[in-house]
Amino acid sequence: MAQFDRNDDSVVVIVGSGAGGGTLGTDLARRGINTVILEAGARYEIEDFVNDEWASFGQLAWTDARTTSGTWRVHRNFPNLPAWIVKAVGGTSIHWAGASLRLQEHEFRTRSVYGGLGGANLLDWPITLAEMEPWYAKAEDRMGTTRTNNIPGLPGNNNFKVLEAGARKIGYKEVNTGRMSINSEPRDGRGACQQIGFCFQGCKSGAKWSTLYAEIPKGEATGKLEVREQCQVLHIEHDARGLVTGVVYADKDGALQRQKARVVAVAGNSLESPRLLLNSASSMFPDGLANSSGQVGRNYMRHTTGSVYAIFDKPVHMYRGTTMAGVVRDEAVNDSSRGFVGGYELETLSLGFAFTAAFLDPGAWGRSFTSALDSYDHMAGLWIVGEDMPQETNRVTLDPVVRDRFGMPVASVHFDDHANDLAMRAHAYDRGRAIYEAVGAVRTFPTPPYPSTHNLGTNRMSEKPRDGVVNKWGQTHDIRNLFIADGSQFTTGGAENPTLTIVALATRQADTIAGMMARKEI
Amino acid sequence: MRQSERASTGPGARLDRREFLKAGAAAAAIAVSGSALIHAGEAWGLEVRTLQPATVRTLILMARDIYPHDRLADKYYAIAIKPWDIKAAQDAATRTMLEDGVATLDGFAKARHRQPYVDVAWEADRVVLLRHIQDGAFFETVRSGLIVSLYNQHEIWPLFGYEGESAAKGGYIHRGFNDLEWL
């Protein structure tokens, strides 16, 4: 395994090892480029994962302090947990459920299609679906996405059976077990899904794609990739020309280290990536790195989410098998006659008993709440994933008071739902209820959004430097050897789970960075 | 998950076996006897070290009234509340918060029913009393702690039809992931 000198200024440094950083690092290494991934979290392997929601949360989740504000309910119920994401090698690709849907054509040009919407800071992506299609194809192949590349779909579990029957009964057509990056048959050295049911806690069979075991080991095997765990980057340094020169990080013993670099790519998720850029302010860049537009940290999106759980008079056992076992796509279209722009997916979701208690209706108590839990094994559930509107005021800033153990200001997340988000969520709750009532639900619940798993948009991609932070290659407009490689590049969020697009962008970015390095442009 | 939910009680809090005292038959659900609580019906006892035993008894009933599950024995609520006695021993502010909170609740109970909370016979009446304090820090601290200390007791999961750990059993691929036939 490679080990690079901290004074080696020829390496590419990547901050974060999730879907974006882990993919980018692996691809750069395969192209012969010396790469160091600095990961704030520790390295766990498949055998370390536990089928126990709270124990796993304690093991994997980012529980370092963050603060929140705004009218979103997450602020009220989980004021220090705006996001449910992972701090470990592999990042949130350990926790994700596997849904791998391409963004739709119109979702790359929402400003043109949706028009000016009051309060929304909509912008067209500087790339199109046509440009992304080959990269989506590569991503689906490397991730083993079902229903692509002749890979069969996964079998539906009980939770899906209920969703499918209800959805068809009310007239939905596009209902299936989804495009999932979970092996339905052995592929790429990993086995087939065993329907274990703890997808969020790290896949114990390795059937689900994660950079932890499906990418990073391949990168390491080239001898060109070094992953340093428990190394939290505190700021990025630059020279008098305004080019980045390396990063300062706290290592696993808390000692400060400097890793020099030829190129830096930031992939710490949409909360940590803007935090790092803002915390790297200098006299040359007083508002933070790559922030001449003032857009770093702004336009934070989290998808318009929510869940509908339903109780039946007969057993369901929704927790058996894949957590996200199927999808209804009929509402994913843009049809403003529904009273909102953009669309949403309905995907099965289940929580174990402990997390159902925590998330079904946070803060609730009494018999209305407990009688629902009494019917836990008769419950089915779905999750709404809809496009939310980018708003300049929804943003990640540095908390003025709270600092982490290294003295770095923590991320403070402000979020208010846009009127379009509220209208979409109400519509989706209603359709979710209709699905379940069509097959005999005796009681349904609108469950509020969980702490965010889809964190997007805080370093968004734009054609013009004044509108965003990075260009169509994820390269910052201001600093040519500084890149963003995670979901914070998203110009808008689309209605689809973001991981496939993150991987496709990272795969494409590796090609771009390698070419720029070969041409000595960076 | 708030820090308080995670840190105050923590998953898997258990009553030590030695702290369950053998109890003889008696009528009342939970009786205070010296520094212990005795549940004759369920044949267990709980040694209380820092808080007043009556306070813990009130908290146990309060736990049931907040999250009432008729299928759960009192011992699960006692297990859920016991960590507060340990926390109170480590932290004077927690001890004060709990003692004062129960005293306030008892004050409401006495004003309305002329008896402390645990002696108010009907659940519906006790729930009305809890609604008086539900926006305060005491209630919220106790309630949010229960989310983990009650519902993360693995022993109660089978009572709700939840099967817990699955990978070691080979997942559900041969154990009913798609056995639903009633649709």
Side-chain angles (χ1 to χ4, degrees), chain B residues 113-131:
Chain B
H113 302 286
R114 297 176 184 277
Q115 48 198 353
Y117 184 82
V118 293
D119 291 330
V120 176
W122 303 110
E123 178 188 320
D125 290 335
R126 296 193 302 271
V127 167
V128 170
L129 295 170
L130 290 178
R131 294 209 187 284

Side-chain angles (χ1 to χ4, degrees), chain A residues 51-52 54 57-58 76-79 81 155-158 161-162 193-196 198 204 312 314-317 319-321 352-354 357-359 363-367 369-370 373-374 376-377 439, chain B residues 1-3 5-6 11 65-71 123 127 130-131 134 139 143 147-148 151-152 154 156-157 160-167 170-173 175-183:
Chain A
N51 278 187
D52 178 324
W54 281 113
F57 186 85
R76 174 152 52 100
N77 297 126
F78 307 102
L81 192 75
N157 67 1
N158 290 339
K161 282 184 175 181
V162 177
C193 175
Q194 300 301 301
Q195 301 288 337
I196 292 169
F198 286 86
K204 291 289 285 180
F312 296 85
K314 298 188 185 69
V316 176
H317 299 287
Y319 57 86
R320 292 181 185 170
F353 184 70
F359 291 118
W365 62 279
R367 286 198 178 264
F369 177 76
T370 56
L373 291 181
D374 284 341
Y376 173 76
D377 55 355
V439 281
Chain B
M1 286 119 281
R2 299 177 184 195
Q3 290 304 97
E5 285 187 6
R6 303 185 56 249
D65 290 336
I66 292 173
Y67 290 122
H69 293 283
D70 300 335
R71 67 186 71 176
E123 178 188 320
V127 167
L130 290 178
R131 294 209 187 284
Q134 70 176 351
F139 179 90
R143 185 208 62 75
I147 287 291
V148 178
Y151 292 116
N152 201 40
H154 297 200
I156 73 170
W157 291 350
F160 294 88
Y162 180 54
E163 297 164 271
E165 200 279 336
S166 132
Y172 289 102
I173 193 153
R175 296 191 309 125
F177 81 103
N178 63 351
D179 64 357
L180 189 155
E181 300 289 353
W182 54 260
L183 281 162

Side-chain angles (χ1 to χ4, degrees), chain B residues 63-86:
Chain B
R64 180 181 282 286
D65 290 336
I66 292 173
Y67 290 122
H69 293 283
D70 300 335
R71 67 186 71 176
L72 292 185
D74 285 333
K75 73 170 178 178
Y76 299 112
Y77 292 99
I79 290 167
I81 288 300
K82 183 183 177 263
W84 286 117
D85 191 44
I86 298 162

Side-chain angles (χ1 to χ4, degrees), chain A residues 8-335:
Chain A
D8 183 345
D9 60 4
S10 72
V11 301
V12 174
V13 165
I14 300 172
V15 182
S17 62
T23 301
L24 175 64
T26 299
D27 273 7
L28 290 175
R30 282 167 152 168
R31 290 167 189 273
I33 295 169
N34 292 337
T35 302
V36 176
I37 292 179
L38 298 170
E39 167 55 54
R43 189 163 187 158
Y44 302 97
E45 300 297 345
I46 287 174
E47 56 269 27
D48 301 321
F49 297 155
V50 285
N51 278 187
D52 178 324
E53 291 174 308
W54 281 113
S56 177
F57 186 85
Q59 179 186 52
L60 298 175
W62 184 291
T63 52
D64 298 0
R66 285 173 175 144
T67 59
T68 56
S69 59
T71 53
W72 58 329
R73 188 163 159 183
V74 168
H75 168 57
R76 174 152 52 100
N77 297 126
F78 307 102
N80 298 118
L81 192 75
W84 178 5
I85 53 180
V86 171
K87 181 180 182 181
V89 174
T92 307
S93 76
I94 296 173
H95 165 84
W96 79 308
S100 304
L101 303 171
R102 298 182 180 191
L103 291 182
Q104 301 168 74
E105 192 274 336
H106 73 270
E107 288 171 336
F108 284 98
R109 45 189 193 93
T110 54
R111 181 65 181 81
S112 301
V113 177
Y114 302 163
L117 208 62
N121 192 25
L122 285 167
L123 185 72
D124 291 352
W125 290 58
I127 46 177
T128 63
L129 176 62
E131 280 176 85
M132 284 302 294
E133 271 170 347
W135 301 103
Y136 272 134
K138 283 183 204 293
E140 288 158 352
D141 182 48
R142 78 189 295 165
M143 299 165 84
T145 305
T146 58
R147 292 195 166 79
T148 74
N149 298 286
N150 297 313
I151 302 169
L154 286 158
N157 67 1
N158 290 339
N159 203 19
F160 173 71
K161 282 184 175 181
V162 177
L163 178 82
E164 182 185 35
R168 295 210 183 280
K169 212 154 187 175
I170 66 168
Y172 286 136
K173 306 287 185 222
E174 229 183 310
V175 189
N176 58 51
T177 58
R179 291 186 168 199
M180 305 295 296
S181 294
I182 299 176
N183 280 350
S184 56
E185 52 190 26
R187 192 175 195 272
D188 194 28
R190 295 178 288 115
C193 175
Q194 300 301 301
Q195 301 288 337
I196 292 169
F198 286 86
C199 303
F200 288 167
Q201 283 70 37
C203 179
K204 291 289 285 180
S205 78
K208 181 182 79 180
W209 179 89
S210 169
T211 55
L212 174 65
Y213 42 80
E215 301 293 338
I216 288 168
K218 294 174 187 164
E220 289 172 327
T222 66
K224 299 287 184 181
L225 174 63
E226 179 187 356
V227 178
R228 283 182 213 155
E229 61 172 307
Q230 299 178 68
C231 291
Q232 181 183 320
V233 178
L234 305 178
H235 61 266
I236 302 167
E237 297 187 313
H238 65 81
D239 61 17
R241 299 171 299 164
L243 294 175
V244 297
T245 54
V247 300
V248 172
Y249 66 94
D251 69 15
K252 63 174 71 174
D253 302 315
L256 294 188
Q257 308 289 355
R258 172 179 290 108
Q259 174 64 55
K260 292 187 176 174
R262 177 173 169 185
V263 173
V264 173
V266 181
N269 198 293
S270 290
L271 304 188
E272 295 306 314
S273 290
R275 177 191 181 206
L276 178 57
L277 295 182
L278 294 170
N279 198 53
S280 301
S282 63
S283 54
M284 184 183 278
F285 300 111
D287 299 321
L289 293 189
N291 198 20
S292 64
S293 64
Q295 295 291 308
V296 170
R298 293 188 186 273
N299 312 302
Y300 170 63
M301 295 171 287
R302 60 180 309 274
H303 274 148
T304 293
T305 66
S307 281
V308 177
Y309 287 94
I311 291 172
F312 296 85
D313 60 350
K314 298 188 185 69
V316 176
H317 299 287
M318 66 175 175
Y319 57 86
R320 292 181 185 170
T322 46
T323 302
M324 201 161 275
V327 61
V328 178
R329 303 211 62 191
D330 298 66
E331 299 285 2
V333 298
N334 175 43
D335 171 9

